[in-house]
Amino acid sequence: RRAPAKLAGAAKVVVPAPRHQKSLRGGQIVVCAGAPLPEGRKLRVAVIGGGPAGASCAIELAKAGIETYMIERKLDNCKPCGGAIPLCMIEEFDLPMSIIDRKVRKMTMISPTNNEVQIGETLKEDEFIGMVRREVMDGFLRDRAMESGCKVINGLFMTMVAPKTKEESYVLTYNDFGDAADGAARQGVKKTLEVDVVIGADGANSRVAKEIEAGDYEYAIAFQERMRIPEDKMEYYK
């Protein structure tokens, strides 16, 4: 049996419905719908989430001349995961070398049972693992999205009303932190936004996924610690 699942953008996805394990892996878009745009109006797209995925998506949409909105709740987020990037990403995403906080060429991973794995032994002399601070890299990509024409909204996505006909739009409700007075900065100002397409890039606990009833999906939670050690000890890692 196959169970239909709704997908933002007025599309339908068909995914397997096994008894024990639920996953969107292998799902395929099989039906798309939507009326032609009114003459003179651009396609309107909302990207929920301003991390690397959401910001990169917003950059390409805005460059293509699409009316793009990106909603991100925390513009100065010091997120612990995703600090290491491969060399190919620097060129592929056209990132400046200044965004690399530290070049790691060797690393020792120690398991709870004291087993050690040496990372970096296969790297060539000119290769390294780029360590970035997410608040720096994410901010850089969001700034690039704005420069490309995307409107970045500092807000928290709350709910979404899907269109009932081809002529209707998605209506998003979000709390805008940018326009909130000092006393209401944490709650924000409730606003709505009408768009033609919604892209969920809001992480493992995606509110967009819940709104479209995407079901269970596979994800992992990451932990990271930053520790300051004496400079002479740091020499080993340079």
Side-chain angles (χ1 to χ4, degrees):
R1 296 180 59 187
R2 289 181 176 270
K6 293 179 289 184
L7 179 69
K12 187 181 294 183
V13 164
V14 171
V15 296
R19 287 184 179 180
H20 304 295
Q21 184 178 1
K22 296 180 180 179
S23 174
L24 287 181
R25 179 176 295 175
Q28 296 181 345
I29 299 176
V30 295
V31 179
C32 294
L37 293 174
E39 187 175 353
R41 183 171 75 74
K42 295 181 178 181
L43 182 69
R44 302 168 303 184
V45 178
V47 180
I48 311 302
S56 298
C57 178
I59 290 169
E60 298 305 317
L61 290 170
K63 283 182 177 180
I66 295 171
E67 187 176 327
T68 309
Y69 301 87
M70 180 168 57
I71 301 177
E72 168 58 41
R73 66 185 180 91
K74 225 178 170 187
L75 297 178
D76 59 348
N77 190 21
C78 300
K79 193 171 182 180
C81 65
I85 62 174
L87 272 175
C88 60
M89 183 177 175
I90 299 173
E91 181 178 355
E92 185 176 346
F93 287 78
D94 192 24
L95 299 175
M97 288 300 296
S98 59
I99 209 168
I100 304 298
D101 190 64
R102 185 172 294 277
K103 299 177 181 179
V104 175
R105 293 184 172 85
K106 54 185 176 181
M107 180 190 308
T108 302
M109 294 183 65
I110 306 174
S111 74
T113 56
N114 274 336
N115 289 319
E116 294 187 4
V117 176
Q118 300 300 323
I119 307 297
E121 291 183 341
T122 60
L123 292 176
K124 299 178 182 178
E125 289 186 5
D126 60 339
E127 293 180 333
F128 58 86
I129 301 170
M131 302 300 296
V132 300
R133 294 166 56 189
R134 285 290 302 275
E135 65 271 26
V136 175
M137 184 177 75
D138 293 12
F140 174 85
L141 292 172
R142 284 193 294 265
D143 288 344
R144 179 177 283 178
M146 284 192 289
E147 292 168 2
S148 300
C150 171
K151 181 177 181 181
V152 177
I153 299 172
N154 181 199
L156 175 63
F157 168 75
M158 301 301 291
T159 59
M160 174 176 66
V161 178
K164 296 180 180 178
T165 67
K166 291 183 178 181
E167 288 72 26
E168 293 182 354
S169 304
Y170 286 91
V171 181
L172 311 183
T173 300
Y174 65 96
N175 291 342
D176 192 324
F177 300 139
D179 288 348
D182 292 341
R186 295 188 66 179
Q187 289 77 28
V189 176
K190 185 176 180 180
K191 293 185 178 181
T192 59
L193 176 66
E194 292 188 18
V195 294
D196 305 302
V197 178
V198 179
I199 297 176
D202 48 341
N205 298 312
S206 170
R207 293 192 176 195
V208 174
K210 291 181 175 65
E211 284 290 320
I212 65 174
E213 300 176 4
D216 296 334
Y217 49 91
E218 299 172 1
Y219 62 90
I221 301 297
F223 293 90
Q224 173 180 302
E225 287 189 34
R226 293 182 180 178
M227 298 173 287
R228 184 178 296 279
I229 63 177
E231 282 298 322
D232 60 321
K233 294 289 195 288
M234 278 301 299
E235 290 298 321
Y236 173 80
Y237 299 99
K238 291 182 179 179

